[in-house]
Amino acid sequence: MANGNSTVHNSTHDQQANKGSEISTPSQIPQDELDEATRSSVAEQLDCQHDLVRADEENRNLFIGLLSISQNWDFWAARPTLVANEAVPLMNGCDPESWRERARREDPLPGYMIAAIERGLEIAKGEAANPQSPSDWLAWGKRHGLDLPTLKSANHLRDPDVNMWPLFADAVERAVQAGERYTGKSKAPRKFSEAFDKLLDEIDKRYNTQGGKLDRNAMPGTKDQLRYVARKFEPKSMTVELSTFDDYIAGVVKFKKGRQAIGTPNPYTDLFPEYSTLGAQKN
C-alpha cells in the first residue's frame, strides 16, 4: 500500500512539474475564483505567515535590545568593501565593534551567536577571503549557510529559531536601491580608506567610554577638524589637503548642518588628549 501511494504521489508530482508556469498557488489565484472554504484557508495561511514574520522580527529586536547591539547596519551596508571580521559578525546580527569587544562586554554574546560567527570566520580564513562588497559577502554567506537561524527564542527549544541575517541583508538591499553602495567609485586609495575606518572605530569607541554615541551621519565639528585628527592618527596614510580629504570621505560620513563660528573648540580634543595641539575652527 505504501508503495502504491508513493507511486501515485510521484506521478501527480511529475504531471504538475510538467505544467511549469501554468500552476498557481492559492494566493496567486483571483479571490473570486475560489470558493468560500478555500478563501478562508488561504487567508488563514497568509495570516500565519505574517505572524511568523512578525514574531521573527520581534525576536530579533528583543535580542538586539538585550545584547545592546549597535544598530548601524546602514552604515556598514554602504561601505565599499568589508573584511571578514566585519562582514561575518554583521551577517549574524552583531556589529563589528561588539564582536571585537566581546570579551569585555557587560552583556555577553550568546554562545550560539559566537559559535556561528567563529564558524563563518574559519570558513573565510580557510578560503583566504579577500575584502569584498557587502552584496558579495551576502552571496558568499548564503553559499555557506550563514543565512540560517542562530539564536533560540526559548531555552527549551532544540534548535535555533531566530534568524538575525535580515538585519544586515535588508540594509544592503536598501543601500543598493538608494544608490548608496560605493563599488569602486570612491576616490580614496585603499590605505586611506582602511586608516579612516580605523579612526572612525576609535572615535566611536572613545565616545562610548564617555557615555556617548557617534552618529556617522552627523559628525561633530568640521571636516578640517576631523582631518587634523586623521593626520595625527595615521600620518602616512591620511596627510592630505582639505579638498582631497573632502573627496576621500564623501559618502562615508556626513557632518552636522550649519556653519561653525571661528574659534569654536575642536570637539575631538576631549576624545584624543594625546593630541594636545588640536586646533579650533579657523575657517
Side-chain angles (χ1 to χ4, degrees):
M1 179 65 71
N3 290 337
N5 287 341
S6 177
T7 301
V8 172
H9 173 77
N10 289 337
S11 175
T12 303
H13 176 77
D14 292 341
Q15 291 175 6
Q16 291 178 340
N18 290 334
K19 291 183 181 180
S21 60
E22 295 178 4
I23 300 176
S24 298
T25 63
S27 61
Q28 294 172 323
I29 300 175
Q31 291 292 308
D32 56 4
E33 295 182 17
L34 302 176
D35 57 39
E36 184 176 351
T38 304
R39 282 200 299 271
S40 177
S41 176
V42 170
E44 185 175 347
Q45 292 176 30
L46 294 176
D47 287 343
C48 182
Q49 293 174 2
H50 176 72
D51 289 343
L52 289 174
V53 171
R54 184 172 58 186
D56 200 32
E57 182 179 357
E58 290 177 351
N59 283 330
R60 283 195 295 271
N61 291 334
L62 178 62
F63 273 106
I64 290 298
L66 290 175
L67 300 175
S68 300
I69 297 294
S70 298
Q71 299 198 61
N72 49 1
W73 317 110
D74 290 318
F75 168 78
W76 294 105
R79 300 298 298 129
T81 59
L82 299 172
V83 298
N85 278 333
E86 296 168 338
V88 174
L90 287 165
M91 287 186 278
N92 284 277
C94 180
D95 66 287
E97 178 67 19
S98 293
W99 176 249
R100 284 193 295 269
E101 300 294 324
R102 62 189 179 280
R104 294 182 288 273
R105 284 173 51 87
E106 294 183 4
D107 303 308
L109 298 178
Y112 278 97
M113 175 181 281
I114 293 176
I117 295 174
E118 289 180 340
R119 170 181 170 270
L121 291 175
E122 282 297 318
I123 296 173
K125 182 179 179 180
E127 296 182 359
N130 294 318
Q132 51 189 330
S133 71
S135 291
D136 289 338
W137 272 116
L138 290 178
W140 177 91
K142 283 188 175 182
R143 290 197 302 271
H144 294 291
L146 271 66
D147 57 337
L148 301 176
T150 55
L151 298 176
K152 292 182 178 181
S153 60
N155 291 331
H156 70 272
L157 295 176
R158 177 180 176 182
D159 300 311
D161 65 320
V162 180
N163 193 345
M164 305 295 280
W165 170 276
L167 291 168
F168 182 57
D170 290 350
V172 173
E173 183 178 354
R174 289 194 298 270
V176 173
Q177 292 177 349
E180 294 175 357
R181 176 169 167 250
Y182 296 86
T183 53
K185 297 179 181 180
S186 175
K187 298 179 181 180
R190 179 175 176 178
K191 288 185 178 181
F192 179 95
S193 295
E194 292 176 348
F196 191 63
D197 280 343
K198 290 180 181 178
L199 173 60
L200 291 177
D201 288 341
E202 184 63 24
I203 294 175
D204 196 14
K205 181 167 63 176
R206 296 193 184 199
Y207 258 112
N208 288 335
T209 59
Q210 295 184 6
K213 184 177 181 181
L214 179 67
D215 184 352
R216 303 188 189 200
N217 289 315
M219 293 289 291
T222 66
K223 294 176 182 178
D224 197 24
Q225 290 172 335
L226 180 60
R227 180 179 70 106
Y228 199 95
V229 179
R231 290 166 60 183
K232 294 284 187 178
F233 185 79
E234 183 54 74
K236 290 184 178 180
S237 303
M238 295 195 288
T239 299
V240 295
E241 296 298 323
L242 179 58
S243 58
T244 303
F245 185 78
D246 191 4
D247 288 340
Y248 284 178
I249 66 174
V252 181
V253 295
K254 298 178 182 179
F255 287 79
K256 295 178 180 178
K257 295 182 179 180
R259 184 178 180 84
Q260 287 198 339
I262 295 176
T264 301
N266 191 320
Y268 301 100
T269 302
D270 292 338
L271 294 176
F272 294 87
E274 63 270 36
Y275 303 155
S276 60
T277 58
L278 290 181
Q281 172 64 15
K282 296 180 180 180
N283 50 35

